[in-house]
C-alpha cells in the first residue's frame, strides 16, 4: 500500500503512505507462503482478502505461582464440499522440545455444505512456562480436524502464555509490575542496501540486541510491523505496542474507516503473538468515540488476549486503557501512562567527542528548517549523557514513588534509519545502535539504567567514551552507573569519587589523559563494590580483523540469506583501536552478492566495495545466491595486515521453486533472563498521603482540579496579591517529606513558592523546570493541612533545548494559556516516608 497514491474505489490517499514514516522499498521484500488445503479446513487469519479469521489460541484462569492456566483453542472452519461434513476437533500442545504437554478435544460439529463455523476446546494445563521479558518461551499448538477418526486438516500455531493487567497506573506481567523501557522503532526496521529484505535470523539478531541492552518494549511507529518482526519479538521476549496505520493525529470519514479496517486485520493476523501487549489507535490522541470503536474491535476479535487499547496522549480520556505524551512525563493512578517517544537527539557513531578524530565539536552542523539543530548533531559523549538525563525523568516517578506513577517510556529510535532525518546527514541517527547495529555509548547507558523490572536489580557501570587521546588532552569523564557512588582510577591511582546527578550519572571533571587503564568502581550504600568497568589504551593500528555473523544453522543458499561481516582495526595485541578511520577495500569471491554497508561520506558508501571503519569498526552485508559453495571475503587497508574469512553456504531443499521449510524454522528463543522472578519489583521509596479536599484564595471552585488525577485539567489562581494560594487537607495527620507538582509551563516557567504544613514553613524557593513533574524535599513537619502559595513573579525561559518542540512548546505545556504572575497547578501530591516493617 505505501507504494500507491490512493484507494482506487474512493480516491482517498492512504494516511500511512508517508516517506517520513514508511519507507517504500518497492517489489516484494518479504517471504511468500503457499497454503494448500482440502475442502474441509481451518481458515487463514486474512480478513480483508478472504473474509476469514483463522485460529485463535488464548489462556485464562492463570495461577502464576502454580504455573497453571486454562488453554483455549478456537478455529474457524469452512466446508467447501457439496454435502454436510461432521468432524471432531483435537488440540495438542507441544513444548519447545516438541514434547506433548497436553491434549484435549471439543465436541463434534456438523457443517452444512458451503458453511463456515467455529469450533472450540479448552482444558486446564499445568507446569506451564509463562512467556516473559527476556524469556521468549513459546509453544506449538496443533489443532486438527478429524473425519471418521482420520485427520484431514492440521494447523500449527506458535504462541505463548502470559498474564497481563493494566491499572493503578501500572503494567503487570505475570503478576509482577514492570516499568516499560525500550524503543520507538520505524516498522521498516531496515538495513542499508537491503531495506526490509532480511532473513528472520537477522531480525532476531537486531531485536536480541534490544533485550540484551535491557529493553523490554518496542513501540512500532505509525504502521503495523511485518509478521517476521512480530514473531521475532515473541522469540526474544520483548513486549510490543502494535499500531494500525496512520500518519499523525485523529482522522475522520473514509480515512478513519481505513484505519479501523487495518486494525481489524492486524488484530486477527497477530492475536496469537504473546509479545503484543498494546494496541495503538493512533500516533496521537483519538476522540472518545473513536477510542470506543477501537476497544469494541479488540473485544470482538481478541477479547481474551490480555491487551490494552489506547493511544498517544489521551490524558483526560477515561475510555482508553493506556496513554502518554511524546517527550513529556505523565503520571496516573488509573490507566498506565508511558512516554511514546523520548530523547530524539541524533549523533553519528563516528563522532566520539571533540578531542577524537574527526574532532566533531558537539552541535556542529546546519540549521534545520531555519532553527538551531545542534541537538541533532551531537557527538557520542553528549548523546549518551542526554539519554541518562531524559530517562531519569521517568525513573524518578516510577512505581513505588506514590499513588500516581509513571509507567516508563520508549526512546526514539533503536537503530539509525533512512527516514525522517534532521541533522547534517541524510539519514536519521537517533539510534542507540547505528544502521549496521553496532552499539553507540547510549546503548550501554540504557543497559545500565534498565537492568530491572522497576528498581535496578543488577548494578552495572559503563565509562562513556574511549581512552586513546593525544598527549596533553584533558576532558570530562562520565560514568553511567546504578551504584550509589563511583570512584575512578587511572593506572591504579584514585581520582576520587564523581559528582552524581540524574541518579545514574557520575562526572569527573578535567581528567588529564595518560595511556593505560581507566577503571571505574561503583559502590553500594554500604560502601562495598557492586560494579566495575574499565577502558584500556589501544596501540597503533597494526592489522584488520574479520569475523562472519550468520544464522544459527549457517548461511542458506536460497538467494535471500545474508551474512554480516564485521571488520575491525586492531593493534599488535588484537585490541580494537577506537579512533581508527582507515579506508578498507573488500574483495568477495564465490557464489554470493555484495551488498556492503554504510559510512559517512559520498552517497553513504552504499554498495561500495571500499568504505572506512568508524571508531575502529564497521560491518558489511553479503547475500547468498541459489548456488551452494564457499564464499571468501578479503579485507585490506594501506599499512595494515589484511584479513580473510571463508564460509560455506548450504543448499536448501526445494521443488519447482518452492521450499518445504521456512527460513524461520528452528530459530531459538532467547531465554537468558529466565522466568518472571517472584516477589515485588520495587521497594516503595515514598508513600502518598491522601487528600480529602482543597480550597484556594481564588478560583476555589476549580481547586479540586489540581488533585483529580487528570492532567488535562488545571487550577489557576488570580494574579491578585494575597489570593495566589491553594490549601489541601490531609486524610490523616502526617509528617510530609516531599511534594510533587506538575505546574503549567513546566518546561518554560519557574515559580517562586512557599509551602507550609499547619502554618510551619517546610519549603521556600523556585521550582525547577523539567519535562513534567518536579519533586521538592520538605522539612519533616507533622500536620493536617498543606498550603502552597506564590511568593513573587514567575520566570519564563526554555530550560531544555528540544528543537523539535520549539514552535509549539508553550502550547504543549500551557504556558501560553496561563498568564505570568499566577500559580497554576495541573497536579499536586504529597508524601511521607515508608513506615518501618
Amino acid at each position: 500500500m505505501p507504494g500507491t497514491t490512493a484507494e482506487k474505489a474512493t480516491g482517498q490517499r492512504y494516511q500511512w503512505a508517508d516517506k517520513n514514516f514508511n519507507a517504500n522499498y518497492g517489489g516484494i521484500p518479504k517471504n511468500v507462503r503457499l497454503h494448500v488445503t482440502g475442502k474441509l479446513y481451518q481458515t487463514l487469519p486474512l480478513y480483508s482478502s478472504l473474509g476469514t479469521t483463522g485460529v485463535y489460541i488464548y489462556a485464562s484462569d492463570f495461577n502464576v505461582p502454580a504455573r497453571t492456566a486454562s488453554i483455549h483453542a478456537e478455529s474457524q472452519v469452512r466446508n467447501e464440499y457439496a454435502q454436510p461434513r461432521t468432524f471432531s476437533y483435537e488440540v495438542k500442545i507441544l513444548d519447545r522440545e516438541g514434547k506433548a504437554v497436553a491434549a484435549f478435544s471439543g465436541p463434534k460439529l456438523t457443517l452444512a455444505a458451503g458453511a463456515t463455523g467455529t469450533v472450540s476446546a479448552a482444558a486446564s494445563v499445568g507446569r506451564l512456562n509463562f512467556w516473559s521479558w527476556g524469556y521468549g518461551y513459546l509453544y506449538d499448538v496443533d489443532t486438527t480436524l478429524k473425519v471418521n477418526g482420520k485427520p484431514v486438516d492440521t494447523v500449527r500455531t506458535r504462541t505463548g502464555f502470559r498474564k497481563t493487567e493494566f491499572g493503578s497506573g501500572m503494567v503487570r506481567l505475570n503478576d509482577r509490575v514492570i516499568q516499560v523501557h525500550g524503543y520507538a522503532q520505524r516498522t521498516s526496521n531496515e538495513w542499508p542496501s537491503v531495506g526490509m529484505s532480511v532473513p528472520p535470523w537477522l531480525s532476531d539478531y537486531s531485536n536480541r540486541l534490544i533485550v540484551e541492552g535491557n529493553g523490554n518494549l518496542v513501540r512500532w511507529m505509525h504502521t503495523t510491523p511485518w509478521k517476521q518482526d512480530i514473531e521475532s519479538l515473541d522469540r526474544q521476549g520483548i513486549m510490543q505496542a502494535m499500531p494500525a496505520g496512520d500518519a499523525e493525529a485523529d482522522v475522520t470519514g473514509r480515512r478513519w474507516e481505513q484505519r479501523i479496517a487495518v486494525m481489524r486485520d492486524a488484530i486477527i493476523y497477530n492475536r496469537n503473538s504473546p509479545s503484543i501487549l498494546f494496541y495503538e489507535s493512533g500516533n496521537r490522541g483519538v476522540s472518545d468515540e473513536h477510542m470506543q470503536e477501537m476497544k469494541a474491535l479488540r473485544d470482538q476479535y481478541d477479547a481474551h488476549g490480555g491487551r490494552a487499547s489506547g493511544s498517544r496522549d489521551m490524558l483526560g480520556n477515561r475510555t482508553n486503557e493506556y496513554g502518554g505524551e511524546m517527550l513529556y512525563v505523565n503520571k496516573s493512578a488509573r490507566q498506565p501512562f508511558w512516554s511514546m517517544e523520548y530523547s530524539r537527539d541524533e549523533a553519528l557513531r563516528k563522532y566520539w567527542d571533540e578531542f577524537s578524530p574527526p574532532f566533531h565539536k558537539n552541535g556542529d552542523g546546519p540549521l534545520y528548517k531555519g532553527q538551531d539543530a545542534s541537538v541533532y548533531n551531537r557527538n557520542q559523549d553528549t548523546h549518551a549523557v542526554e539519554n541518562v538525563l531524559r530517562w531519569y525523568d521517568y525513573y524518578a516517578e516510577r512505581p513505588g514513588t506514590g499513588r500516581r506513577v509513571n509507567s516508563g517510556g520508549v526512546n526514539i529510535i533503536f537503530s539509525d534509519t533512512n527516514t525522517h532525518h534532521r541533522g547534517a546527514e541524510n539519514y536519521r541517527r537517533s539510534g542507540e545502535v547505528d544502521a549496521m547495529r553496532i552499539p553507540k555509548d547510549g546503548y550501554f547507558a540504557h543497559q545500565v539504567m534498565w537492568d530491572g523490572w522497576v528498581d535496578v536489580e543488577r548494578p552495572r557501570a559503563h565509562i562513556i567514551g574511549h581512552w586513546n587521546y593525544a598527549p596533553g588532552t584533558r576532558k570530562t569523564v562520565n560514568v553511567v552507573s546504578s551504584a550509589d557512588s563511583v570512584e575512578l582510577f587511572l593506572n591504579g591511582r584514585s581520582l576520587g569519587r564523581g559528582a552524581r546527578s540524574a541518579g545514574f550519572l557520575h562526572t569527573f571533571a578535567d581528567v588529564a589523559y595518560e595511556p593505560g587503564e581507566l577503571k571505574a568502581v561503583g559502590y553500594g550504600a554500604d560502601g562495598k563494590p557492586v560494579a566495575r568497568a574499565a577502558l584500556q589504551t589501544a596501540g597503533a593500528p597494526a592489522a584488520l580483523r574479520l569475523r562472519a555473523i550468520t544464522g544459527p544453522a549457517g548461511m542458506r543458499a536460497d538467494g535471500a540469506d545474508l551474512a554480516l561481516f564485521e571488520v575491525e582495526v586492531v593493534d599488535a595485541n588484537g585490541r580494537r583501536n577506537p579512533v581508527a578511520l582507515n579506508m578498507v577495500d573488500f574483495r568477495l569471491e564465490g557464489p554470493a552478492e555484495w551488498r556492503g554497508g554504510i559510512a559517512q561520506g559520498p552517497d553513504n558508501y552504499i554498495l561500495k566495495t571500499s568504505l572506512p571503519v568508524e571508531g575502529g569498526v564497521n560491518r558489511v552485508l553479503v547475500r547468498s545466491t541459489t548456488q551452494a559453495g564457499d564464499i571468501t571475503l578479503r579485507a585490506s587497508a594501506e599499512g595494515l595486515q589484511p584479513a580473510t574469512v571463508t564460509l560455506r553456504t548450504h543448499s536448501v531443499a526445494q521443488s519447482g521453486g518452492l521450499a518445504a521449510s521456512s527460513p524461520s524454522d528452528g530459530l531459538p528463543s532467547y531465554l537468558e533472563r529466565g522466568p518472571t522472578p517472584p516477589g515485588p519489583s520495587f521497594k516503595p521509596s515514598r508513600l502518598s498521603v491522601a487528600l480529602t479536599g482543597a480550597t484556594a484564595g481564588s478560583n476555589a471552585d476549580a481547586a479540586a482540579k489540581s488533585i483529580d488525577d487528570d492532567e488535562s485539567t488545571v487550577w489557576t489562581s488570580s494574579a491578585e496579591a494575597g489570593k495566589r494560594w491553594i490549601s489541601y487537607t490531609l486524610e490523616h495527620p502526617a509528617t510530609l517529606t516531599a511534594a510533587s507538582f506538575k505546574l503549567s509551563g513546566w518546561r518554560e516557567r519557574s515559580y517562586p513558592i512557599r509551602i507550609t504544613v499547619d502554618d510551619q514553613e517546610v519549603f521556600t524557593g523556585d521550582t525547577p523546570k523539567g519535562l513534567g513533574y518536579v519533586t521538592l524535599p520538605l522539612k519533616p513537619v507533622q500536620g493536617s493541612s498543606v498550603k502552597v502559595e506564590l511568593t513573587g513573579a514567575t520566570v519564563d525561559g526554555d530550560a531544555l533545548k528540544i528543537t523539535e518542540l520549539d514552535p509549539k512548546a508553550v502550547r504543549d505545556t500551557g504556558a501560553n494559556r496561563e498568564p505570568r504572575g499566577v500559580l497554576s497547578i495541573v497536579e499536586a501530591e504529597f508524601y511521607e516516608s515508608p513506615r518501618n516493617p
Side-chain angles (χ1 to χ4, degrees), residues 28 42 60 89 130 141 162 175 188 238 245 247 255 356 391 397 428-429 452 478 563 595-596 600 615 780 785 817 827:
I28 301 176
Q42 297 167 80
S60 67
Y89 183 63
F130 292 119
V141 180
R162 79 289 181 274
D175 294 335
S188 50
I238 304 174
R255 298 180 78 202
S356 309
W391 170 248
E397 308 297 341
R428 186 165 194 159
R429 300 142 306 130
N478 287 295
R595 303 311 296 167
Q600 185 198 37
S785 65
R817 294 191 301 270
E827 288 294 325

Short mmCIF file of all heavy atoms in Angstrom, two decimals, residues 28 42 60 89 130 141 162 175 188 238 245 247 255 356 391 397 428-429 452 478 563 595-596 600 615 780 785 817 827:
data_model
loop_
_atom_site.label_atom_id
_atom_site.label_comp_id
_atom_site.label_asym_id
_atom_site.label_seq_id
_atom_site.Cartn_x
_atom_site.Cartn_y
_atom_site.Cartn_z
N ILE A 28 8.53 -7.07 -3.75
CA ILE A 28 8.04 -7.95 -2.68
C ILE A 28 9.22 -8.22 -1.75
O ILE A 28 10.06 -9.08 -2.03
CB ILE A 28 7.47 -9.27 -3.23
CG1 ILE A 28 6.32 -8.98 -4.21
CG2 ILE A 28 6.99 -10.17 -2.10
CD1 ILE A 28 5.77 -10.21 -4.88
N GLN A 42 -9.39 -25.44 8.28
CA GLN A 42 -9.35 -24.27 9.16
C GLN A 42 -8.88 -23.07 8.33
O GLN A 42 -7.91 -23.17 7.58
CB GLN A 42 -8.41 -24.52 10.33
CG GLN A 42 -8.85 -25.68 11.22
CD GLN A 42 -7.77 -26.12 12.19
OE1 GLN A 42 -7.57 -25.49 13.22
NE2 GLN A 42 -7.09 -27.21 11.86
N SER A 60 -6.64 -18.39 30.08
CA SER A 60 -7.41 -17.71 31.13
C SER A 60 -7.18 -18.43 32.45
O SER A 60 -6.46 -19.45 32.49
CB SER A 60 -8.91 -17.71 30.78
OG SER A 60 -9.42 -19.03 30.81
N TYR A 89 -12.67 -32.20 16.71
CA TYR A 89 -11.66 -31.14 16.84
C TYR A 89 -10.72 -31.53 17.98
O TYR A 89 -11.15 -31.71 19.12
CB TYR A 89 -12.35 -29.82 17.14
CG TYR A 89 -11.46 -28.60 17.23
CD1 TYR A 89 -10.73 -28.15 16.15
CD2 TYR A 89 -11.41 -27.86 18.42
CE1 TYR A 89 -9.95 -27.00 16.24
CE2 TYR A 89 -10.65 -26.71 18.51
CZ TYR A 89 -9.91 -26.28 17.43
OH TYR A 89 -9.15 -25.14 17.51
N PHE A 130 5.57 -19.63 31.54
CA PHE A 130 4.92 -18.42 31.07
C PHE A 130 5.91 -17.52 30.32
O PHE A 130 7.02 -17.27 30.80
CB PHE A 130 4.30 -17.65 32.24
CG PHE A 130 3.14 -18.35 32.86
CD1 PHE A 130 3.17 -18.75 34.19
CD2 PHE A 130 2.01 -18.64 32.12
CE1 PHE A 130 2.10 -19.41 34.77
CE2 PHE A 130 0.93 -19.30 32.68
CZ PHE A 130 0.97 -19.69 34.01
N VAL A 141 0.87 -25.15 19.15
CA VAL A 141 -0.46 -25.70 19.39
C VAL A 141 -0.99 -26.24 18.07
O VAL A 141 -1.20 -25.48 17.12
CB VAL A 141 -1.42 -24.63 19.97
CG1 VAL A 141 -2.80 -25.24 20.21
CG2 VAL A 141 -0.86 -24.05 21.27
N ARG A 162 0.88 -15.76 28.86
CA ARG A 162 1.30 -14.84 29.91
C ARG A 162 0.08 -14.10 30.43
O ARG A 162 -0.92 -13.95 29.75
CB ARG A 162 2.36 -13.86 29.41
CG ARG A 162 1.88 -12.67 28.58
CD ARG A 162 1.41 -13.03 27.22
NE ARG A 162 0.95 -11.94 26.38
CZ ARG A 162 -0.27 -11.43 26.37
NH1 ARG A 162 -1.18 -11.85 27.21
NH2 ARG A 162 -0.60 -10.46 25.54
N ASP A 175 1.77 -11.06 37.08
CA ASP A 175 1.56 -10.58 38.45
C ASP A 175 2.68 -9.67 38.95
O ASP A 175 2.64 -9.24 40.11
CB ASP A 175 1.39 -11.74 39.45
CG ASP A 175 0.13 -12.54 39.21
OD1 ASP A 175 -0.83 -11.99 38.64
OD2 ASP A 175 0.09 -13.73 39.59
N SER A 188 9.66 -0.25 9.26
CA SER A 188 10.54 -0.77 8.20
C SER A 188 11.73 -1.50 8.82
O SER A 188 12.20 -2.50 8.28
CB SER A 188 11.01 0.36 7.29
OG SER A 188 11.52 1.44 8.03
N ILE A 238 10.30 -9.76 24.11
CA ILE A 238 10.19 -8.30 24.16
C ILE A 238 8.74 -7.92 23.91
O ILE A 238 8.14 -8.33 22.91
CB ILE A 238 11.08 -7.63 23.09
CG1 ILE A 238 12.54 -8.07 23.25
CG2 ILE A 238 10.98 -6.11 23.19
CD1 ILE A 238 13.45 -7.56 22.15
N GLY A 245 -2.43 1.87 11.22
CA GLY A 245 -1.73 2.55 10.15
C GLY A 245 -2.18 3.99 10.09
O GLY A 245 -3.36 4.26 9.86
N ALA A 247 -0.67 8.49 9.93
CA ALA A 247 0.43 9.45 9.81
C ALA A 247 0.53 10.19 11.14
O ALA A 247 1.36 9.89 11.97
CB ALA A 247 0.19 10.41 8.66
N ARG A 255 -10.97 7.98 5.92
CA ARG A 255 -9.64 7.75 6.49
C ARG A 255 -9.75 6.98 7.81
O ARG A 255 -8.93 6.11 8.09
CB ARG A 255 -8.92 9.08 6.71
CG ARG A 255 -8.68 9.85 5.42
CD ARG A 255 -7.96 11.16 5.69
NE ARG A 255 -6.55 10.95 5.92
CZ ARG A 255 -5.75 11.79 6.58
NH1 ARG A 255 -6.25 12.90 7.07
NH2 ARG A 255 -4.48 11.55 6.72
N SER A 356 38.63 13.64 19.69
CA SER A 356 38.95 12.43 18.95
C SER A 356 38.71 12.65 17.47
O SER A 356 37.76 13.33 17.08
CB SER A 356 38.07 11.26 19.43
OG SER A 356 38.10 11.13 20.83
N TRP A 391 16.01 9.74 30.60
CA TRP A 391 15.39 8.56 31.22
C TRP A 391 15.12 8.80 32.69
O TRP A 391 14.11 8.35 33.23
CB TRP A 391 16.25 7.31 31.05
CG TRP A 391 15.71 6.17 31.88
CD1 TRP A 391 16.28 5.59 32.97
CD2 TRP A 391 14.45 5.51 31.71
NE1 TRP A 391 15.47 4.61 33.49
CE2 TRP A 391 14.33 4.54 32.74
CE3 TRP A 391 13.40 5.65 30.81
CZ2 TRP A 391 13.21 3.70 32.86
CZ3 TRP A 391 12.28 4.83 30.93
CH2 TRP A 391 12.20 3.88 31.95
N GLU A 397 9.84 8.89 38.70
CA GLU A 397 8.41 8.80 39.01
C GLU A 397 7.89 7.38 38.80
O GLU A 397 6.72 7.16 38.53
CB GLU A 397 7.62 9.78 38.13
CG GLU A 397 8.13 11.22 38.16
CD GLU A 397 8.03 11.86 39.55
OE1 GLU A 397 7.25 11.35 40.38
OE2 GLU A 397 8.73 12.86 39.80
N ARG A 428 18.55 9.33 9.58
CA ARG A 428 18.35 9.64 10.99
C ARG A 428 19.33 8.86 11.86
O ARG A 428 19.51 7.66 11.68
CB ARG A 428 16.92 9.29 11.40
CG ARG A 428 16.60 9.71 12.82
CD ARG A 428 15.13 9.69 13.09
NE ARG A 428 14.82 10.39 14.32
CZ ARG A 428 13.62 10.88 14.61
NH1 ARG A 428 12.65 10.75 13.75
NH2 ARG A 428 13.41 11.50 15.74
N ARG A 429 19.92 9.56 12.85
CA ARG A 429 20.95 8.95 13.69
C ARG A 429 20.59 9.03 15.17
O ARG A 429 21.46 9.18 16.01
CB ARG A 429 22.29 9.62 13.42
CG ARG A 429 22.75 9.49 11.98
CD ARG A 429 23.42 10.73 11.49
NE ARG A 429 22.57 11.90 11.69
CZ ARG A 429 22.99 13.02 12.27
NH1 ARG A 429 24.23 13.15 12.68
NH2 ARG A 429 22.18 14.03 12.41
N GLY A 452 16.40 -3.96 35.34
CA GLY A 452 15.45 -4.31 36.38
C GLY A 452 14.03 -4.13 35.88
O GLY A 452 13.79 -3.43 34.89
N ASN A 478 32.58 10.84 32.05
CA ASN A 478 31.29 10.50 32.63
C ASN A 478 31.15 8.98 32.75
O ASN A 478 31.46 8.26 31.79
CB ASN A 478 30.15 11.04 31.77
CG ASN A 478 30.00 12.55 31.90
OD1 ASN A 478 29.68 13.06 32.95
ND2 ASN A 478 30.25 13.24 30.79
N ALA A 563 24.85 -12.75 5.22
CA ALA A 563 25.89 -12.88 6.24
C ALA A 563 26.37 -11.47 6.57
O ALA A 563 26.52 -10.62 5.68
CB ALA A 563 27.04 -13.74 5.75
N ARG A 595 26.54 -6.62 -0.89
CA ARG A 595 25.57 -5.59 -0.55
C ARG A 595 26.20 -4.45 0.24
O ARG A 595 25.66 -3.34 0.31
CB ARG A 595 24.40 -6.18 0.28
CG ARG A 595 23.66 -7.32 -0.40
CD ARG A 595 23.26 -7.00 -1.82
NE ARG A 595 22.30 -5.91 -1.91
CZ ARG A 595 21.99 -5.28 -3.04
NH1 ARG A 595 22.57 -5.62 -4.17
NH2 ARG A 595 21.10 -4.32 -3.03
N GLY A 596 27.31 -4.70 0.88
CA GLY A 596 28.07 -3.63 1.52
C GLY A 596 27.49 -3.11 2.81
O GLY A 596 26.72 -3.78 3.49
N GLN A 600 29.90 7.48 6.81
CA GLN A 600 29.78 8.89 6.44
C GLN A 600 30.67 9.17 5.24
O GLN A 600 31.85 8.83 5.23
CB GLN A 600 30.18 9.79 7.60
CG GLN A 600 29.95 11.26 7.31
CD GLN A 600 30.74 12.17 8.24
OE1 GLN A 600 31.86 11.85 8.60
NE2 GLN A 600 30.14 13.26 8.64
N GLY A 615 35.38 4.67 14.30
CA GLY A 615 35.67 4.23 15.66
C GLY A 615 36.32 2.86 15.67
O GLY A 615 36.15 2.09 16.61
N PRO A 780 10.67 17.90 57.42
CA PRO A 780 9.67 16.99 58.02
C PRO A 780 8.94 17.63 59.20
O PRO A 780 9.52 17.84 60.27
CB PRO A 780 10.50 15.79 58.46
CG PRO A 780 11.90 16.30 58.59
CD PRO A 780 12.05 17.40 57.60
N SER A 785 -2.73 19.89 57.30
CA SER A 785 -3.04 20.66 56.09
C SER A 785 -1.76 21.21 55.49
O SER A 785 -0.77 21.43 56.19
CB SER A 785 -4.00 21.81 56.42
OG SER A 785 -3.37 22.75 57.27
N ARG A 817 -1.45 29.63 27.99
CA ARG A 817 -2.82 29.76 28.48
C ARG A 817 -2.88 30.51 29.81
O ARG A 817 -3.85 31.20 30.10
CB ARG A 817 -3.46 28.38 28.65
CG ARG A 817 -3.66 27.62 27.35
CD ARG A 817 -4.55 26.40 27.58
NE ARG A 817 -3.99 25.48 28.57
CZ ARG A 817 -3.18 24.47 28.26
NH1 ARG A 817 -2.84 24.27 27.01
NH2 ARG A 817 -2.71 23.68 29.20
N GLU A 827 -1.32 19.08 38.68
CA GLU A 827 -1.49 18.02 39.66
C GLU A 827 -0.53 18.24 40.82
O GLU A 827 0.61 18.70 40.62
CB GLU A 827 -1.23 16.63 39.05
CG GLU A 827 -2.30 16.13 38.10
CD GLU A 827 -3.63 15.86 38.77
OE1 GLU A 827 -3.65 15.42 39.93
OE2 GLU A 827 -4.67 16.10 38.12
#
